[in-house]
Amino acid sequence: MPEGKIIKALSGFYYVLNGSVTVQCRGRGVFRKNKITPLVGDEVVFQAENDKEGYILEVKERKNELVRPPIANVDQAILVFSAVEPDFSTALLDRFLVLVEFNRIKPIICITKMDLTNEEQNKEIQRFAEDYRKAGYDVLLTSSETEEGIKELFPYLEGEISVFAGQSGVGKSSLLNALNPDLDLRTNDISSHLGRGKHTTRHVELIRVGQGLVADTPGFSSLDFIDIEIPDLNFCFPDIEKLSEECKFRGCLHMAEPKCAVKAAIADGELPAYRYEHYTTFLQEIKDRKPRY
């Protein structure tokens, strides 16, 4: 039986890429019975008489799965944040980073709209970029208008399935249009009344960009830490995780414990205070979360 990858799911149809051919398929009734929902990114076994009448027979085991947006087998997440309009937020970026790290997906930070920054804003973004690079992240500074940093993004996409995610209005679709002008994805202006962009993306679809497949998604509709437990959080901050190896107590939460290497690093200026503040905020949020039964 032929195998392929689901690259689009729309109105009950699954579009499976097999080599250079895309086959329109439906899921077998047994999937519904067994509560299996094929996702974009799934590797599947299918049968088809032609490219319009196929049926998915089997969904192969996934290496990861995101609920919002619904996509599987993601290699990396391009976290798109604007320098301005809307203003860059380390708190929101750290929230996205924790969710991505928890799902064992490699994050790449892409800061857009650098052409709109004044001198002071530009310097501030450069400082933040350096902080995150020291934390172990790849950071790209881009502009879809001037094409600054666009070419530097192509090598990251090669041979990978990438999710482009971020809050509305940061320029995800504009960035993808700059990477591949043939896409002609719809974009909307910032809503000045709401202070955020209008939703322009309606479904999840993997599209060819350079030598990779990328998903222009509606973004994470939920940024709550529903599945993350207290011990997990340390591992979702790679800079804090590395420092914690020097803490006196194993399992240190970096709160009131003595001889905490993380708190010492803040005092020494080795760890940005805002990273620790976000860690403690998220930790409290997990502690306060209502138990699920």
Side-chain angles (χ1 to χ4, degrees):
M1 289 290 179
E3 298 184 7
K5 185 192 301 292
I6 297 176
I7 58 170
K8 182 168 69 170
L10 187 64
S11 302
F13 289 100
Y14 302 97
Y15 297 82
V16 179
L17 181 64
N18 173 240
S20 60
V21 178
T22 301
V23 182
Q24 179 178 286
C25 295
R26 288 190 179 275
R28 292 180 63 195
V30 70
F31 289 152
R32 192 177 301 109
K33 180 180 177 182
N34 296 332
K35 296 183 179 179
I36 296 173
T37 302
L39 296 176
V40 169
D42 271 333
E43 298 287 345
V44 298
V45 178
F46 69 98
Q47 66 178 19
E49 297 295 327
N50 53 59
D51 62 5
K52 295 292 184 184
E53 300 176 20
Y55 285 89
I56 294 173
L57 305 178
E58 178 188 349
V59 176
K60 302 232 166 185
E61 185 178 355
R62 296 164 180 158
K63 70 177 182 180
N64 57 43
E65 173 186 341
L66 295 178
V67 177
R68 304 178 186 90
I71 189 169
N73 299 318
V74 176
D75 296 309
Q76 60 189 9
I78 315 295
L79 299 182
V80 185
F81 277 70
S82 54
V84 293
E85 298 182 15
D87 290 341
F88 183 73
S89 167
T90 58
L92 189 57
L93 174 56
D94 284 345
R95 187 171 284 273
F96 270 86
L97 285 169
V98 166
L99 290 165
V100 170
E101 294 276 10
F102 179 71
N103 284 283
R104 299 294 188 265
I105 298 170
K106 180 184 177 182
I108 295 165
I109 300 168
C110 181
I111 303 176
T112 61
K113 303 187 184 182
M114 290 301 295
D115 58 300
L116 300 182
T117 60
N118 58 36
E119 185 176 353
E120 183 179 344
Q121 291 167 331
N122 189 287
K123 287 180 178 178
E124 183 180 48
I125 294 298
Q126 296 283 356
R127 286 195 298 271
F128 284 136
E130 192 56 34
D131 285 345
Y132 282 97
R133 289 182 182 123
K134 286 180 180 177
Y137 295 109
D138 291 325
V139 183
L140 297 172
L141 306 180
T142 68
S143 165
S144 300
E145 290 296 320
T146 67
E147 298 193 353
E148 173 190 353
I150 298 299
K151 288 182 180 179
E152 285 79 358
L153 191 50
F154 279 109
Y156 288 98
L157 303 179
E158 188 169 347
E160 307 284 1
I161 292 182
S162 306
V163 169
F164 275 57
Q167 67 182 133
S168 298
V170 296
K172 296 190 299 292
S173 295
S174 295
L175 183 62
L176 283 166
N177 283 337
L179 288 163
N180 185 350
D182 292 338
L183 295 176
D184 194 26
L185 296 171
R186 289 182 302 150
T187 60
N188 279 342
D189 294 331
I190 291 288
S191 167
S192 57
H193 177 67
L194 295 174
R196 56 183 173 85
K198 301 169 185 175
H199 289 286
T200 57
T201 314
R202 297 297 177 218
H203 64 273
V204 181
E205 178 178 357
L206 289 175
I207 47 184
R208 178 71 64 180
V209 176
Q211 299 301 310
L213 292 169
V214 305
D216 177 33
T217 79
F220 291 80
S221 58
S222 173
L223 293 174
D224 296 328
F225 302 138
I226 297 170
D227 299 313
I228 300 176
E229 302 297 339
I230 289 172
D232 299 324
L233 190 60
N234 196 64
F235 302 107
C236 296
F237 282 80
D239 43 355
I240 290 178
E241 181 189 11
K242 186 176 180 180
L243 287 166
S244 66
E245 295 172 3
E246 306 299 324
C247 291
K248 181 178 180 180
F249 295 101
R250 192 173 182 179
C252 180
L253 292 180
H254 324 304
M255 299 294 284
E257 300 91 338
K259 296 188 178 179
C260 171
V262 172
K263 296 182 84 169
I266 298 166
D268 294 341
E270 185 181 347
L271 178 71
Y274 63 83
R275 284 281 285 171
Y276 177 71
E277 288 169 7
H278 300 156
Y279 166 85
T280 56
T281 298
F282 300 162
L283 185 66
Q284 191 61 50
E285 185 176 322
I286 294 170
K287 286 181 177 179
D288 293 342
R289 185 178 61 205
K290 293 181 179 179
R292 289 184 293 170
Y293 299 102

